[in-house]
Amino acid sequence: WASRVSGHPEACGELPAACMAEEMLTPGDGQIRALVTIAGNPVLSTPNGRQLDRALAGLDFMVSIDSYLNETTRHAHYILPPAGPLERSKYDLLFYQLSVRNVARFSPPTLPRTPGALHDWEIITRLGERLARLLGREQKPALAPEAMLDASLKAGPYGLGLAQLAAQPDGIDLGPLQPRLPERLFTPDKRIRLAPAPLLAELDRFLATTREARPQGAGRGLLLIGRRHVRSNNSWMHNYQRLVKGPERCTLMIHPDDARQRNLGHGARARLASRVGAVDVTVEVTEDIMPGVVSLPHGWGHNRPGVRLGIATAHAGASINDVTDETLIDPLSGNAAVTAVSVEVSATNG
């Protein structure tokens, strides 16, 4: 199946975020008129964020499960804040995949939960129960994360239980990593499919295209790439003074040759423009980036009306996704090409 407006293909049962705004803005059967967001800030994290900003403002209903009134949740009719990060337990599922040894660790809540506060899973469960009643459907009771974790641990090869793990606050070292392949492969011949037909067909299409020679000289365009600063991996990290203090970090990195052609000095203000919009940024002249390329970090742009982020607002910066283009996509998946975006950089009077 594909998206309603532009026919972007689904991938793994999901549609690309690049088409979300047009699905809200384009009238007709199937138009998106309501939205639920969970700890996300797509106005800053999806291409052409200003278009999505306009789309969210026109929704009939929006609810956000979030702790912040940010660039996205400011459009919500209701904001449902979950219990704080120190009021919930922790068992890492993602980063254990990057471990160098087989370990397990459970961390109980540091602080007691505020009276009346709900965890995010409880909020989602209650919303689901109410929706099920409205639709006349039966909603099965949800299992608490700790209960699911306990069952999963006991079903594992070590027979651990949550109580046993919780009794070891420093975690348990289960020894060196063990090979799991090929028994964990479910293909008939126990081989990984590195060249499926759709990818090969897309590679043929790509190789058949020709790249136009980029014009040379002072007026040539540049390619924009993003980056993640170690202190601002995501926009919510800008709410912590220890992370945002010090020099300005939302800077446009540009090579000295390109800066010289545009009469830009280190620390100057410049206009970064693309097909979809423009932002004013502070220039960082550096040889750490190659000629013809500029880079702006992800997650900034806290200067929209209605945002209440305190510390982050004082370090607003500019959103790279105000200049990325939602029409630049990977044809196979519909995923946005948020790097190598054609832009122009010029000096401003600011």
Side-chain angles (χ1 to χ4, degrees), residues 9 17 101 115 135 139 179-180 185 232 245 251 266 270 298 309 349:
R101 287 183 67 83
L135 298 176
Q139 177 79 8
R180 301 302 304 275
L185 292 176
S232 63
K245 67 179 182 180
T251 58
H266 188 83
H298 166 86
L309 293 175
N349 297 325

Side-chain angles (χ1 to χ4, degrees), residues 35-56:
L35 180 70
V36 177
T37 64
I38 306 174
N41 196 354
V43 168
L44 295 190
S45 62
T46 58
N48 199 351
R50 286 176 177 162
Q51 177 179 249
L52 180 60
D53 209 1
R54 296 192 299 271
L56 296 180

Side-chain angles (χ1 to χ4, degrees), residues 35-275:
L35 180 70
V36 177
T37 64
I38 306 174
N41 196 354
V43 168
L44 295 190
S45 62
T46 58
N48 199 351
R50 286 176 177 162
Q51 177 179 249
L52 180 60
D53 209 1
R54 296 192 299 271
L56 296 180
L59 290 175
D60 293 335
F61 180 74
M62 178 175 170
V63 60
S64 294
I65 302 174
D66 207 294
S67 301
Y68 298 112
L69 186 59
N70 60 31
E71 294 74 24
T72 296
T73 63
R74 69 194 181 107
H75 294 293
H77 297 81
Y78 296 95
I79 297 179
L80 307 177
L86 297 180
E87 298 175 340
R88 55 178 179 258
S89 58
K90 170 75 172 180
Y91 182 84
D92 206 331
L93 291 175
L94 176 63
F95 290 106
Y96 282 160
Q97 300 179 53
L98 307 177
S99 297
V100 295
R101 287 183 67 83
N102 193 1
V103 297
R105 180 181 180 180
F106 175 79
S107 300
T110 303
L111 300 175
R113 198 184 340 176
T114 303
L118 300 175
H119 292 305
D120 45 9
W121 72 271
E122 293 174 311
I123 296 174
I124 296 170
T125 297
R126 294 194 183 188
L127 290 177
E129 291 171 348
R130 296 187 184 192
L131 182 60
R133 286 199 298 268
L134 287 173
L135 298 176
R137 298 176 182 175
E138 182 181 357
Q139 177 79 8
K140 294 183 179 180
L143 197 62
E146 285 82 0
M148 289 191 286
L149 175 60
D150 185 54
S152 299
L153 289 170
K154 290 178 178 177
Y158 303 100
L160 288 176
L162 182 57
Q164 181 182 355
L165 190 58
Q168 301 289 333
D170 293 329
I172 298 178
D173 187 342
L174 300 169
L177 300 179
Q178 301 294 325
R180 301 302 304 275
L181 297 178
E183 67 270 15
R184 293 297 295 173
L185 292 176
F186 298 102
T187 51
D189 57 0
K190 296 292 184 179
R191 292 179 178 270
I192 300 174
R193 303 300 189 200
L194 294 178
L199 288 180
L200 293 179
E202 178 59 20
L203 182 60
D204 289 338
R205 185 204 63 79
F206 172 75
L207 294 176
T209 62
T210 57
R211 303 183 85 181
E212 296 183 2
R214 295 182 62 193
Q216 301 298 314
R220 67 185 177 92
L222 300 167
L223 294 180
L224 172 68
I225 63 175
R227 70 182 190 274
R228 303 254 184 169
H229 195 281
V230 67
R231 290 196 179 194
S232 63
N233 188 264
N234 282 304
S235 62
W236 58 266
M237 297 178 73
H238 301 161
N239 293 285
Y240 296 93
Q241 174 63 24
R242 289 180 178 269
L243 296 179
V244 299
K245 67 179 182 180
E248 182 178 6
R249 297 184 179 87
C250 186
T251 58
L252 183 74
M253 297 175 65
I254 186 170
H255 189 273
D257 292 347
D258 294 320
R260 193 177 306 112
Q261 292 172 355
R262 292 160 178 79
N263 296 318
L264 292 172
H266 188 83
R269 296 290 288 176
R271 175 66 53 88
L272 174 67
S274 70
R275 182 193 73 85

